Amino acid sequence: MYMVDLIQKKRDGGILSDEEIHFMIDGYTNNRIPDYQMGAMLMAICFQGLNKHETVVLTSEMMHSGDVIDLSGIEGVKVDKHSTGGVGDKTSLVLGPMVAACGCKVAKMSGRGLGHTGGTLDKLESIPGLHVDVSEEDFINQVNDCHLAIIGQTKALVPADKKLYALRDVTATVSCIPLIASSIMSKKLASGSDTILLDVKYGEGAFMKTKEDAKVLAQTMIDIGKSLNKDTRALISNMNEPLGYAIGNSLEIKEVIDTLNGHGPKDLLELCLQAGSQMLMQAHITDNEISARKLLQDAIDSKKALRCLQAMVKAQGGDDSYIRHPELFEKTKEVISIRSQCSGYIKSLNALSLGIVSMKLGGGRMVKDDDIDHSVGLVLNKKIGDYVSKDEVLLKVYTNTGLSKELEDSIYDAYHICDEFVSKPVLIEEIMK
Ligand code: URA
């Protein structure tokens, strides 16, 4: 078999056989196929697409390109959740403890932030001492002990995706639905959980800009999960404004703690209740949404979910006094209030721009190896549908490096204010199974 023949076949709209996909992924992972040929294949896939069967086979080949985690040492149903990423998205850190408190086992591998979206691992690492490099044995023991572990992906997990993602990044082939779906699902499937709940976001601050694309991506991932015998469901959620009020690592951890103490933002809580309900049903803890919501709300009211977070932090070497006393988190040199220049209703709020401001303050990475400042970021005071008076605070900037005119302008440009009443956006568009 020759890679050049496969490239030509896909270029001309042909269907790749199982053997050809195996040849391609195995050859690329093991350096027998060079980047230039794989790059050409990725571009051919972008133009010609992959059918459902090809996408499933590609995912399975990628999943088996490295270690597949064996979670059979954990009793009970292991549930996993994945968000396609957004601004202020701290859902996993609220949802994980909530469903763990209700009896699910959460053995989760998360990622770091790049660009305007934050990463769960970076947020967790704002808790002093906490580490995310955990051996497979300790990971399993921790989930058995406290029902919850959120760690970094091991190096040997889906090596094909590591190489392919880096290549896609530099060949303009990232935004191709079968490639995104196989990239995400290969990692989720290799992480070994029994069920997968996807939060596919759409909007200005998300990877998928339209609801329609988000649905196609969700359906592609559900099809892959089902073909490989995993209960896979998806929420389609709105990311036209940041989730919650906080953007930035320790600021978001404080919001997580507030939410688990029962004082969180409404949108974040609602997303966690809806996602959590699906996860409890996937784990057969209950068979209906009403009782699932009640169990999840009880986990917050009784502080059981907060205790799960605390137990996880402690097990991963973190100082859990920060969970009890969030005022301990390092403070920035300055907190600058940005005040509205006019009165009216917030019509739109550009999540992408605010994510970029937070990144430029030092809260995120422009390139993979950048250091980050865990203490900086933004806390919104007004979101879409809120009324703001002239000179009222729109948001606060937490900074150690002041605020340049450029960033201040970006913040003002992110808010569109109008005279007419604006209703609150719909957060969850659809639940797909
Ligand atoms: N996230 C992934 O893991 N892979 C993609 O291709 C896109 C987003």
Side-chain angles (χ1 to χ4, degrees):
M1 214 178 275
Y2 296 98
M3 186 63 180
V4 65
D5 297 333
L6 307 193
I7 298 168
Q8 188 174 334
K9 186 174 185 184
K10 188 42 80 183
R11 183 199 68 193
D12 296 341
I15 311 281
L16 299 174
S17 70
D18 296 8
E19 294 70 31
E20 287 167 339
I21 296 173
H22 171 77
F23 169 84
M24 175 174 94
I25 295 302
D26 186 54
Y28 185 60
T29 310
N30 295 301
N31 303 319
R32 290 190 301 275
I33 292 174
D35 280 346
Y36 55 82
Q37 283 192 312
M38 198 64 206
M41 173 58 91
L42 291 171
M43 191 57 84
I45 292 173
C46 280
F47 281 106
Q48 297 291 356
L50 292 176
N51 70 19
K52 192 166 151 182
H53 181 74
E54 288 175 300
T55 310
V56 171
V57 175
L58 173 65
T59 309
S60 173
E61 287 297 334
M62 288 170 68
M63 166 189 171
H64 290 106
S65 66
D67 289 353
V68 174
I69 311 286
D70 176 8
L71 297 180
S72 58
I74 300 172
E75 286 166 35
V77 182
K78 280 77 73 179
V79 297
D80 199 358
K81 167 265 165 192
H82 176 83
S83 157
T84 54
V87 178
D89 185 5
K90 67 280 292 173
T91 314
S92 294
L93 294 166
V94 180
L95 184 57
M98 282 168 73
V99 298
C102 293
C104 294
K105 298 294 169 65
V106 184
K108 182 159 172 51
M109 293 191 177
S110 284
R112 296 196 178 277
L114 187 61
H116 72 281
T117 59
T120 301
L121 299 183
D122 299 320
K123 293 171 198 183
L124 270 176
E125 281 177 347
S126 54
I127 302 169
L130 188 140
H131 54 85
V132 294
D133 292 325
V134 176
S135 71
E136 200 171 320
E137 190 187 344
D138 288 348
F139 182 48
I140 289 172
N141 290 339
Q142 185 180 322
V143 180
N144 272 326
D145 290 346
C146 47
H147 294 197
L148 174 66
I150 301 180
I151 68 165
Q153 267 172 29
T154 62
K155 287 205 173 59
L157 200 87
V158 195
D161 183 63
K162 289 195 180 76
K163 281 193 80 180
L164 281 169
Y165 197 87
L167 186 61
R168 286 167 59 206
D169 211 17
V170 294
T171 54
T173 53
V174 169
S175 58
C176 166
I177 285 179
L179 296 179
I180 299 172
S182 54
S183 164
I184 293 174
M185 289 301 286
S186 59
K187 287 175 284 195
K188 288 288 110 183
L189 292 160
S191 316
S193 284
D194 300 311
T195 72
I196 301 169
L197 193 265
L198 302 160
D199 177 9
V200 183
K201 298 192 179 291
Y202 69 89
E204 204 57 62
F207 211 61
M208 294 287 114
K209 299 296 173 206
T210 68
K211 213 182 296 179
E212 292 67 34
D213 278 351
K215 285 188 192 174
V216 176
L217 176 61
Q219 191 60 57
T220 309
M221 293 196 285
I222 291 171
D223 290 344
I224 294 171
K226 287 196 174 152
S227 302
L228 298 170
N229 297 319
K230 293 276 172 195
D231 179 337
T232 307
R233 305 181 185 191
L235 253 53
I236 306 295
S237 71
N238 187 327
M239 186 34 77
N240 278 310
E241 65 176 351
L243 189 62
Y245 293 99
I247 306 168
N249 299 290
S250 65
L251 296 169
E252 291 191 44
I253 293 284
K254 285 191 204 173
E255 194 163 71
V256 166
I257 298 167
D258 279 348
T259 308
L260 293 175
N261 270 315
H263 319 299
K266 266 197 191 142
D267 58 350
L268 174 61
L269 178 64
E270 182 56 25
L271 184 63
C272 291
L273 289 172
Q274 294 222 28
S277 297
Q278 294 303 319
M279 290 169 84
L280 295 195
M281 290 189 279
Q282 287 179 297
H284 307 294
I285 286 174
T286 176
D287 64 0
N288 68 83
E289 235 172 292
I290 296 172
S291 82
R293 281 181 81 98
K294 184 171 178 330
L295 287 168
L296 292 160
Q297 189 62 57
D298 285 349
I300 292 183
D301 297 343
S302 63
K303 303 274 156 82
K304 254 175 103 175
L306 185 73
R307 286 198 294 275
C308 272
L309 176 69
Q310 207 171 326
M312 178 188 86
V313 166
K314 206 166 169 183
Q316 289 178 221
D319 183 347
D320 65 328
S321 60
Y322 280 67
I323 306 298
R324 278 175 280 120
H325 300 288
E327 68 280 3
L328 288 173
F329 279 101
E330 198 186 324
K331 299 198 173 36
T332 51
K333 286 188 194 143
E334 264 183 296
V335 181
I336 300 171
S337 292
I338 302 291
R339 293 177 185 278
S340 180
Q341 293 160 329
C342 59
S343 299
Y345 292 93
I346 312 291
K347 186 170 167 46
S348 63
L349 183 50
N350 192 319
L352 174 63
S353 303
L354 296 182
I356 292 172
V357 170
S358 176
M359 177 188 77
K360 288 186 175 168
L361 288 169
R365 297 183 184 82
M366 294 192 217
V367 293
K368 225 169 82 197
D369 295 323
D370 276 352
D371 281 336
I372 58 172
D373 182 343
H374 289 102
S375 61
V376 301
L378 309 171
V379 176
L380 313 187
N381 192 40
K382 298 287 175 183
K383 292 187 46 168
I384 297 175
D386 288 341
Y387 184 81
V388 62
S389 305
K390 186 169 185 303
D391 291 330
E392 213 186 336
V393 174
L394 281 174
L395 61 74
K396 290 187 175 176
V397 180
Y398 290 71
T399 174
N400 287 317
T401 51
L403 182 67
S404 66
K405 175 84 174 59
E406 177 207 335
L407 293 189
E408 188 181 347
D409 288 347
S410 300
I411 294 172
Y412 278 119
D413 289 348
Y415 276 92
H416 284 164
I417 299 172
C418 68
D419 292 334
E420 302 78 38
F421 173 80
V422 176
S423 47
K424 289 264 170 203
V426 173
L427 177 64
I428 293 160
E429 192 63 35
E430 199 173 321
I431 296 172
M432 297 171 61
K433 296 181 197 173

